[in-house]
Amino acid sequence: MLLQEVSSKPYKRVQTHAACTSRPRVAPAPKLRVHSVESLGTYDGPGIRLVIFLQGCNLKCLYCANPDTIEFGGGTEYELDSLVQMAQRQRPFFGKKGGVTVSGGEPLMQARDLVPFFQKLQKEGLHTCIDTNGTILNNNSKELLKHTDLVLLDIKHIDSQKHLKLTGKQNDRTLAFAEYLASENIPTWIRYVLVPGYSDDEEDLHKMGQFLANKGNIEKLEIQPYHKLGEHKYESLGWKYQLTDVPSNTEAQLLKAKTIFEQYVKEVVIN
Amino acid sequence: MFKSGNWEKAIDVRDFVLKNVRPYDGDSQFLCEASERTKHLWNICLDAISKERANNGVLAIDTETVSGVTSHGPGYIDKDNEIIVGLQTDMLLKRAMKPYGGIAVVEKACEEHGVEASERVKDIFNNYAKTHNDGVFDVYTPEIRLYRSLGILTGLPDNYARGRIIGDYRRLALYGTERLIQAKKLDMLSLVGPMTDERIRLREEVAEQIKALHQLKELGDIYGLDLSRPAKTAQEAVQWVYMAYLAAVKEQDGAAMSLGNVSSFLDIYIEKDIEEGKITEEYAQELVDQFVMKLRMVRHLRMEAYNEIFAGDPTWVTEAIGGKLADGRHKVTKTSFRFLQTLYNLGPSPEPNMTILWSQDLPEGFKRFSAQVSIDTSSIQYENDDLMQCTRNSDDYGIACCVSFQEIGKQIQFFGARTNLAKTLLLALNEGRCELSGKKVLSNIPKLQSDTLELGEVMDNFKLAMKEVARVYNESMNIIHYMHDKYYYEKMQMALVDTNPKINLAYGGAGLSIVADSLSAIKHAKVTAIRNEEGLTTDFKIEGDFPCYGNDDDRVDIFAKQIPSYFNGLLKELKTYKNAEPTLSILTITSNVVYGQKTGATPDGRALGVPFAPGANPMHGRDKSGAIASLSSVSKIDYRDSLDGISNTFSIVPKTLGATQDQRTENLASIMDGYFAKDAHHLNVNVMNREMLADAMENPEKYPQLTIRVSGYAVNFVRLTRAQQQDVIARSFFETV
């Protein structure tokens, strides 16, 4: 130490959020390929959240706001322990509701390595959440779901053909994933991006509502207004942004969709 | 009847509060809007404020009268509608001359506003009476003058009044002047020989205090109030407290003249009157609104140059709200809510500087309401009550100036402005010469072996430089406070403080984030000094990456923790005037801009002239991991090394706090809980959009009350200079897409 040793005598007060004590060391931990980390996440699950955006996605949605997370090659490798430590340091900010959300990219692409991560977080008493497109339901994802407190399930479209047009894949896997979550009674929030002219047809919204109705695990539906804030990223990637002419939602469109969904889901919010 | 206790036998306001306070656990539903009378008065004030702004920031100056407790006749906003009365002069917003700080300063301020101090006043203070400013400059050494002129020491209270002392204004309401005079006379009796310098000085001070208490009674007479006796009703309690404060700001124009912690004291009288059916909630709110309105109308006569260090014409009427009692109860009362409610009833405002003493155990309803008020008005700041109580051992304290703990009525502070730590680092790299002027400042700094900076060598030099700077800083402080006591003693405030109180000498440091990032760059990257023909550093070549302060990264945050600790240790070794106990703040007010102008390029890559980050903030744009990581970094600076306060200013876009109003208040409260659970000290909270500030720069008339928190206080945004406005807008606003 270059300066005098800094005193590390603890304050007299009993610290309610004292840092965690020793953790058992395990063999060299698997790594996660991370695009970026946001320490103040307020839109991806309840309360204040540490949001870890993983690199790589199996869909290529036309409106993706983070196209730089789609490719599998990029990102930075993080050791699980360093991410667990990050979460522990942030714990005092989580309050009663907050915790860790893994988003992407598509987090279930790295489900195998996420299992020990979520296990550790839960062992520390931290709330775990994934934000997924629900296209991957294998043993790894099923194992991960056992350690997931909340799933944010993005259903891009209820109509399979329109889903294909919007994302490059049909929606059968996502719907099956929703059924699985319901059968396992895993708390779930549905997220739905309302793209004018693409995913705001009233009949489709009713169909979507009907699909969600009576699934007791669904606590909430979040309507996500369409925005073009990611458009500039397409340019730097050398990609063409195909929705240039699509306008943002009007207030009326958002409220209309909310009214429709409210006929089927107990809580609907516009994010 | 009040519950009895020691407060009846001795001057002991804390005991009165402890015995009688009624903590309130509920929410804000009970609050009332402004009364018609209040609205009428506030409209007159708004009109006067707009005329003041149109008139170059000063409405009127009394050039004839030397201001004192009883110097002016009564002044009113509109007498028939005022339930709390009293102005500093006989006219709303008219400023008064207080030449004991320095006659040259008063003359300059008058001249800048197109008027002239009267011949009589000039004659007296130039030819017969001596001022604080004269005294200091008679004694300053050449070395201190050099440090001042080069910007190593800046903003020293040598040409303005030091402020920072908080009178216990509650004492007037609880006891009246007669009893207070009696107590001071009793103290005087016990101050017997041997007649050392200290004892003689103290006897003279107490004699002055007794005179001031007599003047305070006279001030009451001017307004038809009998201040010789205790207040009997809620209205009288508010009026008495205000009269005591008014007397202080008539006598003194200290940079910061805090109010203390009066709200929960006043709550005792208000709740008693409500319970006895004497007043309604509407009237209770009216009392608080009108009191706060008066506090917003306090003005001092300042030179324009003052604006560089304390921008926006601040008065720092800091009021501490909330917190806990040592017995575990919290001190949030309905009047805590009523004070915050004034920000809705009268609109946002920088004054009074409302400071929430945050404890993890405050009731949820109050936490939520505070967060809501922050989101709606950006007018309040927060300090860690749990931390201050356990470190400073008192539950009856106010906040002096911006962020500094001061036990009320038991303790005072000597204000010490601040030294430039970033420039001190540059002295260490330039053989003790000022990097801009080339002037030799320190004689003991060896030349560096190589222009490729090596941490060990840099640190050795930096430590030598800090030691010298600490020595000169200490000498200037001792001179300043000796002279202030001698020529501009705060007799009115000190009359409301225990005789012979404990004193903190409040030093300060600026540029901490720059120093931390510079040392990080030197350690983790390759930094090469680029020098001109005189051998002075003009720039630094940085090869490779280095971690920056503000990302919750210990590799650099350790420097931000160690530097204050080391510098504080140096200051503690030096003997102080009146044996004051040294403390250190990491705080800049708005001087971060002018410090930047006076500091050359630094090894962190900051260019010459670029403003420092304010207070303990990370440098703007370098805290890239989001708000929580940034807050976590700041929380690592140890309060015990910076007992005068560690100021952090946090600006966030409303949407980033959450989608709904409920989420936003809940999340902001969680942020506060988290930040303070990590033993952080202070947080200014701004919740606003950058676009609005840009619009306010261009269209100030649209935003007369737009309030923004800067380092440790709040200002009207439209009163800042353009450079300061640009600096505010350039800072990190946390937002997510």
Side-chain angles (χ1 to χ4, degrees):
Chain A
M1 194 139 309
L2 289 150
L3 292 158
Q4 64 188 23
E5 284 290 339
V6 176
S7 146
S8 58
K9 193 177 69 191
Y11 290 97
K12 272 188 286 177
R13 171 163 57 88
V14 177
Q15 301 210 1
T16 43
H17 298 282
C20 297
T21 48
S22 61
R23 287 171 297 104
R25 300 292 301 180
V26 292
K31 292 175 178 175
L32 289 170
R33 188 163 281 278
V34 174
H35 171 266
S36 58
V37 172
E38 168 58 53
S39 64
L40 178 63
T42 51
Y43 282 82
D44 300 298
I48 288 178
R49 311 197 68 84
L50 172 65
V51 186
I52 299 165
F53 296 94
L54 298 188
Q55 184 71 37
C57 188
N58 57 335
L59 297 185
K60 197 169 178 182
C61 303
L62 295 181
Y63 53 73
C64 182
N66 295 312
D68 45 340
T69 66
I70 294 177
E71 294 289 307
F72 285 94
T76 312
E77 283 198 334
Y78 276 68
E79 288 190 10
L80 291 193
D81 276 357
S82 74
L83 292 170
V84 173
Q85 279 163 18
M86 203 184 284
Q88 281 169 337
R89 289 155 82 116
Q90 234 187 282
R91 176 200 297 268
F93 293 91
F94 292 151
K96 295 185 186 86
K97 293 183 183 170
V100 179
T101 297
V102 180
S103 181
E106 173 47 50
L108 292 182
M109 297 298 294
Q110 300 184 50
R112 189 193 62 200
D113 294 334
L114 279 173
V115 172
F117 181 50
F118 272 21
Q119 279 175 328
K120 286 179 185 202
L121 292 177
Q122 283 198 328
K123 206 168 162 189
E124 300 289 345
L126 293 166
H127 183 272
T128 58
C129 174
I130 52 164
D131 176 14
T132 175
N133 61 33
T135 51
I136 301 160
L137 187 62
N138 55 24
N139 287 341
N140 286 330
S141 359
K142 284 179 184 171
E143 184 59 28
L144 180 65
L145 289 170
K146 286 182 190 160
H147 305 286
T148 304
D149 294 312
L150 177 70
V151 174
L152 309 179
L153 178 63
D154 305 80
I155 303 181
K156 317 291 182 184
H157 215 295
I158 194 68
D159 181 288
S160 205
Q161 285 312 305
K162 292 180 185 170
H163 192 279
L164 178 68
K165 190 176 165 195
L166 212 47
T167 71
K169 290 218 171 84
Q170 295 195 328
N171 69 6
D172 49 329
R173 289 175 172 211
T174 301
L175 300 187
F177 197 90
E179 297 290 0
Y180 179 78
L181 293 174
S183 69
E184 296 292 314
N185 200 26
I186 297 169
T188 299
W189 295 1
I190 301 296
R191 320 185 96 185
Y192 190 74
V193 184
L194 197 71
V195 188
Y198 283 81
S199 61
D200 62 344
D201 180 84
E202 285 187 27
E203 206 175 306
D204 289 336
L205 299 183
H206 278 289
K207 272 192 210 158
M208 172 94 162
Q210 283 151 11
F211 174 74
L212 299 174
N214 303 320
K215 288 190 168 61
N217 66 316
I218 294 176
E219 298 174 349
K220 196 196 269 198
L221 185 149
E222 294 181 326
I223 298 171
Q224 300 183 296
Y226 168 71
H227 65 73
K228 279 187 246 190
L229 295 171
E231 189 174 354
H232 68 278
K233 295 181 189 168
Y234 283 76
E235 266 175 50
S236 49
L237 287 166
W239 296 358
K240 186 171 158 37
Y241 189 69
Q242 297 183 44
L243 303 187
T244 304
D245 299 328
V246 177
S248 299
N249 311 96
T250 64
E251 196 67 25
Q253 285 170 341
L254 291 166
L255 287 174
K256 179 79 196 166
K258 184 168 188 273
T259 312
I260 293 173
F261 285 137
E262 275 170 346
Q263 296 168 33
Y264 308 97
V265 180
K266 57 189 167 195
E267 191 187 350
V268 180
V269 297
I270 299 168
N271 258 359
Chain B
M1 280 296 284
F2 297 121
K3 284 188 195 128
S4 56
N6 188 54
W7 64 272
E8 292 164 306
K9 300 181 199 89
I11 306 296
D12 189 351
V13 182
R14 176 182 176 267
D15 181 65
F16 173 77
V17 173
L18 205 68
K19 299 277 159 54
N20 290 285
V21 74
R22 294 183 211 187
Y24 172 69
D25 291 316
D27 61 20
S28 60
Q29 292 297 316
F30 73 93
L31 289 165
C32 289
E33 285 183 6
S35 71
E36 287 308 314
R37 289 192 290 200
T38 300
K39 284 183 198 159
H40 170 77
L41 292 171
W42 184 236
N43 280 332
I44 297 173
C45 293
L46 284 177
D47 187 50
I49 291 169
S50 113
K51 285 185 183 132
E52 183 185 51
R53 197 170 46 248
N55 197 37
N56 197 20
V58 172
L59 187 62
I61 300 170
D62 178 348
T63 56
E64 299 294 327
T65 318
V66 174
S67 189
V69 175
T70 58
S71 54
H72 290 81
Y76 298 95
I77 299 171
D78 176 27
K79 194 176 175 183
D80 292 343
N81 285 296
E82 287 174 79
I83 58 173
I84 299 299
V85 296
L87 295 176
Q88 284 168 293
T89 63
D90 53 6
M91 182 191 133
L92 184 61
L93 300 189
K94 187 200 270 182
R95 298 180 194 226
M97 299 184 297
K98 294 169 184 120
Y100 286 102
I103 183 65
V105 176
V106 168
E107 286 180 43
K108 181 99 192 293
C110 286
E111 187 191 309
E112 284 168 353
H113 291 98
V115 295
E116 205 182 327
S118 78
E119 289 306 322
R120 187 182 69 94
V121 170
K122 284 200 279 191
D123 182 41
I124 293 171
F125 284 92
N126 282 306
N127 298 318
Y128 303 100
K130 190 169 174 178
T131 69
H132 164 58
N133 178 244
D134 298 333
V136 171
F137 280 85
D138 279 351
V139 175
Y140 263 174
T141 61
E143 198 177 31
I144 296 172
R145 287 168 190 260
L146 181 67
Y147 274 58
R148 262 181 115 256
S149 67
L150 295 178
I152 300 164
L153 297 173
T154 296
L156 299 177
D158 52 17
N159 65 355
Y160 64 92
R162 61 189 173 188
R164 280 265 187 149
I165 291 167
I166 309 177
D168 187 354
Y169 305 110
R170 304 169 301 180
R171 288 186 183 186
L172 182 65
L174 189 57
Y175 297 110
T177 54
E178 205 171 297
R179 174 80 190 279
L180 293 172
I181 290 168
Q182 205 181 33
K184 282 291 178 187
K185 282 184 172 167
L186 212 63
D187 286 350
M188 194 69 154
L189 284 179
S190 68
L191 295 174
V192 292
M195 286 298 159
T196 57
D197 284 9
E198 287 76 20
R199 184 47 53 99
I200 297 167
R201 190 166 56 210
L202 188 56
R203 279 188 66 86
E204 189 185 16
E205 286 173 3
V206 177
E208 287 291 314
Q209 294 167 19
I210 292 170
K211 283 183 212 163
L213 287 167
H214 285 291
Q215 289 179 348
L216 178 53
K217 159 134 193 357
E218 265 182 67
L219 176 64
D221 296 340
I222 290 171
Y223 285 94
L225 308 165
D226 180 8
L227 300 181
S228 68
R229 59 163 177 82
K232 292 174 185 160
T233 63
Q235 185 273 334
E236 283 189 357
V238 176
Q239 179 70 72
W240 268 223
V241 167
Y242 175 56
M243 276 291 141
Y245 183 75
L246 182 65
V249 291
K250 283 167 71 71
E251 186 201 273
Q252 282 282 331
D253 53 359
M257 300 203 33
S258 296
L259 183 62
N261 58 350
V262 306
S263 49
S264 289
F265 168 80
L266 293 174
D267 187 76
I268 295 167
Y269 292 83
I270 292 172
E271 288 307 306
K272 178 170 170 283
D273 277 11
I274 288 179
E275 194 174 80
E276 291 171 3
K278 290 178 184 159
I279 63 171
T280 60
E281 181 55 39
E282 287 76 14
Y283 187 79
Q285 186 63 49
E286 193 174 28
L287 279 175
V288 175
D289 284 344
Q290 291 209 12
F291 178 36
V292 163
M293 191 188 306
K294 288 290 192 307
L295 298 174
R296 290 183 181 193
M297 294 300 112
V298 172
R299 294 291 186 275
H300 297 298
L301 183 60
R302 308 283 192 205
M303 294 191 298
E304 272 167 21
Y306 187 83
N307 206 36
E308 283 189 352
I309 42 171
F310 306 130
D313 206 10
T315 48
W316 277 287
V317 190
T318 307
E319 164 67 4
I321 298 171
K324 280 174 72 180
L325 293 162
D327 63 16
R329 290 178 296 157
H330 67 78
K331 229 188 323 182
V332 170
T333 60
K334 281 189 166 180
T335 302
S336 312
F337 282 82
R338 293 179 185 116
F339 265 70
L340 294 180
Q341 175 74 359
T342 63
L343 291 166
Y344 293 113
N345 287 356
L346 307 176
S349 169
E351 306 285 352
N353 181 19
M354 287 197 251
T355 307
I356 307 292
L357 303 180
W358 189 274
S359 162
Q360 306 289 320
D361 304 326
L362 292 189
E364 282 304 314
F366 186 68
K367 283 185 178 177
R368 289 291 192 97
F369 186 59
S370 307
Q372 187 61 52
V373 174
S374 266
I375 290 167
D376 292 337
T377 71
S378 294
S379 296
I380 52 180
Q381 63 173 356
Y382 300 84
E383 294 208 22
N384 190 345
D385 179 61
D386 297 327
L387 176 68
M388 286 188 286
Q389 273 208 40
C390 74
T391 316
R392 311 300 288 273
N393 298 316
S394 171
D395 60 1
D396 188 37
Y397 64 95
I399 299 301
C401 175
C402 306
V403 300
S404 311
F405 171 99
Q406 190 170 119
E407 188 175 4
I408 298 292
K410 308 277 172 196
Q411 217 178 27
I412 62 161
Q413 277 171 15
F414 288 159
F415 173 53
R418 52 204 50 82
T419 189
N420 186 338
L421 292 171
K423 198 165 173 93
T424 305
L425 176 62
L426 290 176
L427 290 174
L429 306 180
N430 286 292
E431 298 166 67
R433 289 179 300 164
C434 166
E435 78 287 358
L436 299 179
S437 65
K439 282 186 185 156
K440 190 80 171 172
V441 180
L442 309 175
S443 55
N444 62 338
I445 306 294
K447 188 172 189 242
L448 292 178
Q449 301 281 329
S450 155
D451 277 339
T452 300
L453 303 181
E454 192 272 313
L455 186 64
E457 192 186 18
V458 168
M459 199 60 89
D460 287 345
N461 278 9
F462 187 33
K463 284 155 83 173
L464 289 173
M466 279 194 278
K467 187 166 184 192
E468 284 301 288
V469 168
R471 176 182 60 77
V472 177
Y473 191 8
N474 165 266
E475 289 174 5
S476 70
M477 280 302 100
N478 288 347
I479 292 171
I480 287 169
H481 292 288
Y482 177 97
M483 292 300 171
H484 205 291
D485 273 352
K486 192 169 179 185
Y487 296 108
Y488 200 14
Y489 180 68
E490 293 89 342
K491 58 182 184 294
M492 187 69 259
Q493 288 150 286
M494 296 303 288
L496 300 168
V497 172
D498 287 0
T499 298
N500 219 1
K502 276 188 272 177
I503 305 172
N504 280 153
L505 177 50
Y507 294 104
L512 181 62
S513 59
I514 289 169
V515 171
D517 285 352
S518 292
L519 296 176
S520 172
I522 293 167
K523 181 171 182 186
H524 298 286
K526 184 183 172 194
V527 180
T528 311
I530 298 166
R531 297 182 187 272
N532 62 15
E533 57 277 15
E534 292 173 74
L536 299 169
T537 54
T538 55
D539 205 352
F540 295 89
K541 185 173 148 203
I542 304 169
E543 295 161 275
D545 291 331
F546 62 95
C548 288
Y549 172 61
N551 297 287
D552 196 8
D553 188 331
D554 284 341
R555 290 176 299 161
V556 51
D557 295 349
I558 188 76
F559 292 119
K561 184 179 158 78
Q562 286 176 335
I563 295 300
S565 175
Y566 187 79
F567 191 58
N568 188 48
L570 293 173
L571 291 166
K572 276 188 175 307
E573 287 169 14
L574 301 164
K575 189 164 166 43
T576 61
Y577 170 64
K578 281 191 171 176
N579 293 316
E581 188 198 333
T583 56
L584 177 67
S585 70
I586 307 298
L587 172 77
T588 55
I589 326 290
T590 47
S591 64
N592 61 309
V593 176
V594 66
Y595 268 131
Q597 287 161 3
K598 292 186 174 188
T599 307
T602 38
D604 58 332
R606 174 194 145 278
L608 180 154
V610 172
F612 293 1
N617 273 63
M619 197 65 175
H620 10 293
R622 293 186 193 164
D623 41 359
K624 289 187 172 144
S625 313
I628 301 299
S630 179
L631 292 169
S632 296
S633 279
V634 180
S635 75
K636 292 174 196 171
I637 302 171
D638 196 324
Y639 179 59
R640 289 165 298 186
D641 297 325
S642 301
L643 286 176
D644 195 54
I646 302 156
S647 171
N648 188 11
T649 302
F650 171 79
S651 298
I652 192 163
V653 170
K655 257 189 90 174
T656 299
L657 276 176
T660 66
Q661 194 179 27
D662 260 5
Q663 283 169 5
R664 288 174 191 176
T665 49
E666 186 179 338
N667 287 338
L668 185 54
S670 291
I671 288 173
M672 232 81 75
D673 272 338
Y675 183 58
F676 291 137
K678 284 185 161 241
D679 288 329
H681 178 240
H682 162 266
L683 194 64
N684 269 319
V685 177
N686 288 309
V687 185
M688 53 181 58
N689 290 304
R690 202 189 293 265
E691 294 73 30
M692 180 172 74
L693 296 178
D695 190 45
M697 266 180 90
E698 301 312 318
N699 306 293
E701 66 289 347
K702 276 165 62 186
Y703 301 90
Q705 280 186 276
L706 175 59
T707 303
I708 180 158
R709 305 284 323 172
V710 294
S711 179
Y713 75 118
V715 284
N716 269 129
F717 183 74
V718 298
R719 283 190 181 193
L720 293 174
T721 65
R722 205 165 171 88
Q724 285 160 343
Q725 288 177 335
Q726 278 161 347
D727 176 58
V728 167
I729 292 176
R731 281 184 214 149
S732 299
F733 270 71
F734 293 104
E735 54 191 315
T736 42
V737 172

